[in-house]
Amino acid sequence: MTSPAAPAAQPPALARRAASAGSSPVRDILALTARPEVISFAGGLPAPELFDAEGLRAAYDRVLAEAPQRVLQYSTTEGDPALRTAVAARLGVRGLPTGPEDLLITAGSQQALTLLATTLLEPGDTVLVEDPTYLAALQCFGLAGARVVPVPSDEDGVDPDALEELVARERPKLLYLVPTFQNPTGRTLPAGRRQAVAGTARRHGLWIVEDDPYGELRFEGSPVPWIASLGAAADRTVLLGSFSKIMAPGLRLGWLRAPAALRRACVIAKQALDLHSSTIDQAAAARYLADADLDAHLARIRTAYRTRRDALLDGLRAALPDGSIWNRPDGGMFLWVRLPDGHDATALLREAVAHDVAYVPGAPFHAGPPDRATLRMSFTTHTPEEIREGLLRLAKVFR
């Protein structure tokens, strides 16, 4: 006679950092608005019709024809030498002298942020962020077990005096910034504040992570120097960049420019994560930069995005409740809206989706107490005509 089988023991629980991490509200909203009839101001997506598909296909064809054994093989963790040389040259032209050896190629700048969290942060370490800030950065620091503290911010970004006070009191390990055309607000940190941030970092001893995925999408105003280019912070600033917004996000290619010791630590961390970024994608990107005119391509993108931004700005007054305020970014992909007191952008989203229009509520972007009257709107993925129609739908919700 067979005795009954013992009940199966449960497997061990998830790690605390995984169990406590939530899904991205933006990704959840994108799934909610996947229906083609929805006009979505929610996603931070480049306009797919502006991708240079033919130029990229030619680059892939050429590297596969000329060096198939190399581009289909494993490669070095640091990245394709030709690609690092090309990125370094572009940074130098834009005012930041850089050598190929200063760079690590990553799977998008998001992986670069993960590498920095892995190499710099112990559980319980303090990280300072803008308020609001990039949502995936909050996820990344949360998974690292960091204590995230928001720096009081206004329409120009972090308040330098508040930053100085917080750094002295909290002793953070690093400050994370998206200083140019910030996600989610679209705002840009002025040059004077960048100098003040650099000075604070030097006086108190902390790292600055300067995330710059949107800097080449300027269509108004004059460029502002990178914090990484300022003498006071050059030895403690990590600059992150990406091809996602200027070529195509499907490439999943970005880069990290960091002081030597930190960069070497990130190389070792990347070896543990994925060995190296895709060999063929790196080779094709390098070939594209050599053969195509990326600056001419960027000029087309900027022209289109400026027209779309203007269409959104032109229609906001009629679509939003009286007393709403919003900004006018000089570039990038987003603008920031605050509805009058008493409005809850999260609560109103479901009704908006019922009217086949969407946006991202601002609450999840706050590391501290959320402002539920705020929302982020992206102007990149729809034509001016579609934007105008989307605003008509939004007016039915808000007005």
Side-chain angles (χ1 to χ4, degrees):
M1 183 174 182
T2 305
S3 60
Q10 292 297 312
L14 294 175
R16 185 178 304 168
R17 60 181 175 273
S20 63
S23 175
S24 165
V26 175
R27 295 287 163 181
D28 296 341
I29 290 168
L30 290 179
L32 187 67
T33 62
R35 293 180 288 116
E37 63 269 25
V38 175
I39 295 176
S40 178
F41 300 111
L45 308 177
E49 73 275 12
L50 297 178
F51 295 154
D52 184 9
E54 288 303 312
L56 287 168
R57 184 172 114 178
Y60 277 93
D61 286 347
R62 184 166 176 187
V63 298
L64 280 168
E66 294 179 351
Q69 294 180 341
R70 177 179 68 84
V71 303
L72 295 174
Q73 185 56 278
Y74 287 112
S75 60
T76 60
T77 303
E78 290 81 357
D80 184 302
L83 182 58
R84 286 188 288 148
T85 298
V87 171
R90 289 189 66 83
L91 292 175
V93 168
R94 294 174 62 201
L96 185 63
T98 302
E101 69 281 358
D102 297 323
L103 300 169
L104 168 63
I105 301 298
T106 59
S109 59
Q110 185 64 37
Q111 187 191 53
L113 190 57
T114 301
L115 295 174
L116 291 168
T118 300
T119 55
L120 289 176
L121 298 177
E122 303 284 359
D125 280 345
T126 299
V127 173
L128 299 185
V129 299
E130 300 159 284
D131 192 32
T133 192
Y134 174 47
L135 182 57
L138 294 177
Q139 288 183 297
C140 180
F141 298 140
L143 279 171
R147 174 175 168 264
V148 181
V149 176
V151 181
S153 307
D154 58 22
E155 63 274 7
D156 285 328
V158 293
D159 179 321
D161 293 333
L163 174 65
E164 179 80 17
E165 180 182 335
L166 272 175
V167 170
R169 185 175 75 236
E170 303 290 346
R171 308 305 303 169
K173 181 74 70 72
L174 66 85
L175 167 67
Y176 172 77
L177 299 172
V178 186
T180 305
F181 313 136
Q182 193 233 23
N183 181 359
T185 65
R187 65 196 177 195
T188 294
L189 192 68
R193 291 198 182 191
R194 296 182 187 218
Q195 289 280 3
V197 166
T200 294
R202 174 164 291 279
R203 282 190 299 276
H204 294 279
L206 71 149
W207 289 100
I208 299 172
V209 177
E210 181 176 15
D211 201 352
D212 186 40
Y214 311 105
E216 293 195 84
L217 299 181
R218 176 177 290 278
F219 33 81
E220 249 179 39
S222 300
V224 186
W226 281 298
I227 297 171
S229 71
L230 304 178
D235 65 344
R236 64 198 63 225
T237 301
V238 185
L239 179 67
L240 311 185
S242 175
F243 286 115
S244 292
K245 309 305 187 294
I246 62 175
M247 284 169 59
L251 289 171
R252 300 314 303 136
L253 289 175
W255 61 88
L256 177 155
R257 180 190 185 275
L262 177 55
R263 189 180 63 256
R264 284 194 294 270
C266 288
V267 169
I268 294 170
K270 183 171 170 61
Q271 289 170 354
L273 284 176
D274 65 359
L275 302 182
H276 62 83
S277 297
S278 165
T279 310
I280 188 169
D281 292 337
Q282 291 186 73
R287 188 74 264 163
Y288 181 87
L289 290 171
D291 293 349
D293 189 342
L294 179 58
D295 290 326
H297 175 62
L298 279 169
R300 290 190 291 273
I301 293 175
R302 293 187 196 108
T303 298
Y305 286 0
R306 178 174 184 161
T307 301
R308 295 174 188 201
R309 180 209 60 180
D310 291 348
L312 182 56
L313 288 170
D314 289 346
L316 280 177
R317 188 171 303 280
L320 299 177
D322 292 339
S324 299
I325 57 174
W326 54 89
N327 60 344
R328 178 189 172 87
D330 289 338
M333 302 173 65
F334 310 106
L335 60 80
W336 190 245
V337 173
R338 190 181 192 282
L339 305 174
D341 289 343
H343 288 74
D344 187 330
T346 302
L348 289 164
L349 177 61
R350 188 166 297 278
E351 185 179 351
V353 173
H355 284 82
D356 292 332
V357 64
Y359 55 83
V360 177
F365 296 96
H366 291 270
D371 184 348
R372 298 193 176 278
T374 57
L375 58 108
R376 187 192 78 178
M377 300 186 76
S378 174
F379 47 79
T380 55
T381 49
H382 291 289
T383 65
E385 294 74 23
E386 291 168 335
I387 288 170
R388 285 189 279 271
E389 172 59 28
L391 290 172
L392 290 174
R393 298 177 188 180
L394 206 58
K396 297 175 182 177
V397 178
F398 286 147
R399 300 189 69 87

